[in-house]
Each structure stands twice: as C-alpha cells, then as structure tokens.
Amino acid sequence: MSFELPDYGRPLLTIIDDDGDIHYLKDILPLCNEIDVNISTAVSTTRIGTKDRWMTWDDIRDCYAAGTEVLCHTYSHPTVDELSLMSDTEIMERLTAARNRLMDEGISTGDILVYSSGTGYEPRMFNAARTIFKAGIVIGGNTVNSKDSDPYQLKRYRIDFATGDGDKSRKDYDIVDIKRYIDTISDCGGWGIMMFHTSNRKWSQLVEVDQEGRLICDENNDAIPLYDKNGDPILDNDGTQYERTMGHLVYVPLLKEAINYAREKGVEIVSVKNGY
C-alpha cells in the first residue's frame, strides 16, 4: 500500500539567531553576504549595548540597513518565573515598549515577536502578543508550520541543541538531524523555522587548533577548549584570535552546509516576514 505525504504548501525555511549577540556581526552577517541568505536576528531591546557581548543600536541599525531582518525578542528576555511576578498590565506595557522602540528606529519587522525561553507557552504572554504583534514564534516544537498553524505560536527547531530524536543531553549541532528536518520540509512542504544562539558561551569559546588552523578534537570528537588560569573558558569578547572560536571554526561551516543542503532539496530560504 502506498503512502501519500501530506502537502503543507511551498517548502520554506527561516533561520533565526536569538539574543542580539555581537557574534552575529562577526560570524553570521559575513556568512549571509557570502552565500546570499537572510538569517534573522531577534533582539531584546533593554539589553542592547548594555554589555560588550550585545550589539549596540548602531550595530542593529547597520544590520537592518544591510538587509538583515531584525525581530523583537521581548524587552529583557524574561523567564516564566519572572513573568509570574508581573501583572498583565506590566507585560503588555513592556512588550509594547519593545515593539515601539524597534519601530521608532525604523525597523519595520519589530512587530514580529520571538518569545523568550518558554514564555511563548505562558498564557498571559501569549494573549498579550496577540494584541501587540503580527506574529509570535516560540522556542521548540520541532514541527513544520503549515497554513493551519497558529500564527502566534509558530514552532521552531533548535539547531544548536539538535534534538529531533528527543535527546536533550546534546549541547552541539547534529548535521544529520538538521538534514532530516530539512528533508521533511522538502518532502511535505510547509514552513520550517530554525533557531540558534551565537550568545551561547560555547559559540564564542576559543578552542585548540593545529598549525594549519584546523580544530583539534578529543577522542569523543569534541572540540578542546582553551581555559584561563581559573579554569574558565577564554572568550573572544575583544576580537583577538577571532578565527579560533567555535562559531567560526565549527558552527558557521555547519550552518553553511545546512543552507546549501536546503537549497539542493528545493527549500527556499525566506525571512519571517516573507514566510508569514
């Protein structure tokens, strides 16, 4: 007996980097320019420019002017526990302020919300988003969105903790699992949304390389990090030895491989605005 695959529409893929980390500028924007792709960035407005690790408003305006889709990642990246201490009015006011700040900066896609942590499943946050934003994107779900999906609870597949098989112990990319997700989009159609975080410490961690600049791994094929005298990972916050970070040596090539694979499979890479 033959099995007929469901048709969810044209196969589309969107990729979003959460948090507005400075490594979006260092690693992701050059990749976008190299292979002519739009990878969105989702920013929390009250974090912007407050630490060296976050992009400044000038950075964000420059990204947007260069064609980057900038999305609203709430006002301060609240957790579900933090939401429990807020009134409905406070949640509405803070989300509205975040959207308005982006819109006032001329960023037209500031009216699309990327929920922080698990807040997209918190009823008060979800209900507030419906009155303020055009769409809302949650963390997790690992499913492909279709015309029947709720536009305020669009699902995402987390590719920096590739967990399509439910293995939440993973702390790295799994290119095989990523390609499996892309295959589903290609075969069935619909809108897949991938998420990752250049803000993860592992992304910016300096790693051991050989004399040719190639990554050195241990017996488990994990990258060997460099540590300071206190045993803490050395981070690339000031731009020194930038070419030795995990983001540059490992994650960017894997993103590139995933994007090229999607294109080979007939999956169109689109912004959230165009997917929506």
Side-chain angles (χ1 to χ4, degrees), residues 139-160:
I139 290 177
N142 290 356
T143 57
V144 179
N145 301 288
S146 72
K147 62 181 180 181
D148 299 322
S149 297
D150 186 334
Y152 288 91
Q153 287 194 312
L154 296 168
K155 303 298 191 292
R156 285 194 292 172
Y157 169 66
R158 184 167 187 171
I159 61 174
D160 53 349

Side-chain angles (χ1 to χ4, degrees), residues 90-207:
E90 287 175 313
I91 293 172
M92 289 282 291
E93 288 177 348
R94 295 184 186 192
L95 287 177
T96 300
R99 180 205 63 189
N100 289 350
R101 177 63 198 271
L102 289 167
M103 303 294 280
D104 290 345
E105 292 289 343
I107 298 171
S108 63
T109 47
D111 59 1
I112 298 173
L113 178 65
V114 175
Y115 299 99
S116 60
S117 302
T119 60
Y121 301 97
E122 209 284 336
R124 295 189 303 143
M125 187 73 145
F126 174 55
N127 292 334
R130 284 187 177 278
T131 68
I132 300 168
F133 294 91
K134 287 184 177 178
I137 303 168
V138 302
I139 290 177
N142 290 356
T143 57
V144 179
N145 301 288
S146 72
K147 62 181 180 181
D148 299 322
S149 297
D150 186 334
Y152 288 91
Q153 287 194 312
L154 296 168
K155 303 298 191 292
R156 285 194 292 172
Y157 169 66
R158 184 167 187 171
I159 61 174
D160 53 349
F161 292 3
T163 56
D165 294 327
D167 180 6
K168 297 186 183 302
S169 67
R170 291 197 66 89
K171 299 298 181 185
D172 58 0
Y173 279 85
D174 183 344
I175 191 63
V176 173
D177 205 51
I178 292 169
K179 288 182 176 180
R180 187 182 300 124
Y181 179 76
I182 292 170
D183 286 339
T184 301
I185 303 169
S186 176
D187 292 340
C188 299
W191 182 20
I193 305 176
M194 290 180 170
M195 64 176 292
F196 70 104
H197 297 77
T198 58
S199 60
N200 283 349
R201 285 175 63 88
K202 191 170 182 179
W203 179 286
S204 57
Q205 183 173 285
L206 290 176
V207 290

Side-chain angles (χ1 to χ4, degrees), residues 5-270:
L5 292 171
D7 181 7
Y8 290 118
R10 193 163 99 251
L12 305 174
L13 176 63
T14 297
I15 306 172
I16 303 172
D17 176 38
D18 283 7
D19 298 337
D21 189 274
I22 193 65
H23 283 80
Y24 181 91
L25 276 179
K26 292 183 176 183
D27 289 324
I28 306 306
L29 194 56
L31 175 65
C32 293
N33 294 332
E34 177 188 351
I35 62 176
D36 190 24
V37 70
N38 192 323
I39 296 176
S40 306
T41 180
V43 300
S44 300
T45 53
T46 60
R47 281 183 171 181
I48 295 170
T50 58
K51 294 182 179 180
D52 290 342
R53 64 180 297 190
W54 306 125
M55 287 191 285
T56 66
W57 279 108
D58 283 342
D59 293 332
I60 291 166
R61 283 188 288 264
D62 289 344
C63 285
Y64 187 71
T68 296
E69 180 178 66
V70 179
L71 308 171
C72 182
H73 197 31
T74 74
Y75 40 90
S76 63
H77 203 286
T79 64
V80 173
D81 288 342
E82 289 169 338
L83 283 186
S84 69
L85 303 177
M86 300 179 198
S87 66
D88 291 352
T89 299
E90 287 175 313
I91 293 172
M92 289 282 291
E93 288 177 348
R94 295 184 186 192
L95 287 177
T96 300
R99 180 205 63 189
N100 289 350
R101 177 63 198 271
L102 289 167
M103 303 294 280
D104 290 345
E105 292 289 343
I107 298 171
S108 63
T109 47
D111 59 1
I112 298 173
L113 178 65
V114 175
Y115 299 99
S116 60
S117 302
T119 60
Y121 301 97
E122 209 284 336
R124 295 189 303 143
M125 187 73 145
F126 174 55
N127 292 334
R130 284 187 177 278
T131 68
I132 300 168
F133 294 91
K134 287 184 177 178
I137 303 168
V138 302
I139 290 177
N142 290 356
T143 57
V144 179
N145 301 288
S146 72
K147 62 181 180 181
D148 299 322
S149 297
D150 186 334
Y152 288 91
Q153 287 194 312
L154 296 168
K155 303 298 191 292
R156 285 194 292 172
Y157 169 66
R158 184 167 187 171
I159 61 174
D160 53 349
F161 292 3
T163 56
D165 294 327
D167 180 6
K168 297 186 183 302
S169 67
R170 291 197 66 89
K171 299 298 181 185
D172 58 0
Y173 279 85
D174 183 344
I175 191 63
V176 173
D177 205 51
I178 292 169
K179 288 182 176 180
R180 187 182 300 124
Y181 179 76
I182 292 170
D183 286 339
T184 301
I185 303 169
S186 176
D187 292 340
C188 299
W191 182 20
I193 305 176
M194 290 180 170
M195 64 176 292
F196 70 104
H197 297 77
T198 58
S199 60
N200 283 349
R201 285 175 63 88
K202 191 170 182 179
W203 179 286
S204 57
Q205 183 173 285
L206 290 176
V207 290
E208 293 279 12
V209 296
D210 62 21
Q211 291 184 341
E212 284 72 42
R214 293 172 300 197
L215 186 68
I216 298 176
C217 297
D218 61 20
E219 64 275 9
N220 298 316
N221 204 35
D222 292 326
I224 299 175
L226 296 175
Y227 292 88
D228 63 19
K229 62 182 180 180
N230 297 317
D232 296 321
I234 299 173
L235 302 182
D236 179 39
N237 289 332
D238 61 359
T240 59
Q241 297 182 299
Y242 152 61
E243 69 281 357
R244 297 177 67 185
T245 63
M246 283 284 286
H248 184 78
L249 290 169
V250 179
Y251 297 152
V252 167
L254 282 170
L255 273 172
K256 185 176 181 179
E257 182 176 350
I259 290 165
N260 287 334
Y261 182 77
R263 286 170 165 168
E264 291 169 4
K265 298 288 291 187
V267 178
E268 182 182 358
I269 315 295
V270 298

